[in-house]
Amino acid sequence: MVAMFKGAGCHVIRINGTADHVHILHSLPRVKTIADLMRDVKKFSSKFVNGKFPTPLGFEWQGGYSTFSMDHRDLRSITRYIENQKVHHGSGNPENTFQKELSDILNAYGVEFDAKYLFPPDPFAIAS
């Protein structure tokens, strides 16, 4: 995946995640839009995962993504935050879900959102 970012003119600083999301800290060149970059990243990584780890249903990213710009002075703290994703989300605490994490970030910056659109139901989830 790093090669894809480099090919797009981006510098990858840190990639880490868990089973249900990934954080990628990278630069973005002036000539590339985030929408085009994310389309290409999802396409490339889906093709890679499906080629390496084929399953009956196949791997597919969700339709959307979240992206945030940052101040270069926060680079160290954001890098540490990304490095600690498995510890943060692996604590077993139900308060440390991806949904809670993203909701907290959006709330901290005053972004209004409707959770039913931000976190649509999993079409493969088994109803109880």
Side-chain angles (χ1 to χ4, degrees), residues 38-48 61:
M38 292 311 302
R39 179 201 62 222
D40 295 346
V41 166
K42 287 180 165 190
K43 182 178 174 182
F44 174 86
S45 58
S46 292
K47 191 179 282 189
F48 174 82
W61 288 103

Side-chain angles (χ1 to χ4, degrees), residues 5 15 18 21 36 39 43 45 52 57 60 88 95 100-101 110 117 120-121:
F5 276 91
I15 299 177
T18 64
H21 71 285
D36 287 346
R39 179 201 62 222
K43 182 178 174 182
S45 58
K52 280 283 206 193
L57 295 176
E60 187 174 301
H88 174 67
E95 287 293 308
K100 173 104 170 57
E101 176 182 43
Y117 298 113

Side-chain angles (χ1 to χ4, degrees), residues 10-48:
C10 301
H11 174 71
V12 174
I13 300 162
R14 189 70 71 232
I15 299 177
N16 197 9
T18 64
D20 64 354
H21 71 285
V22 64
H23 291 267
I24 307 169
L25 180 58
H26 63 87
S27 64
L28 184 66
R30 290 183 323 234
V31 297
K32 192 81 165 172
T33 67
I34 193 68
D36 287 346
L37 178 65
M38 292 311 302
R39 179 201 62 222
D40 295 346
V41 166
K42 287 180 165 190
K43 182 178 174 182
F44 174 86
S45 58
S46 292
K47 191 179 282 189
F48 174 82

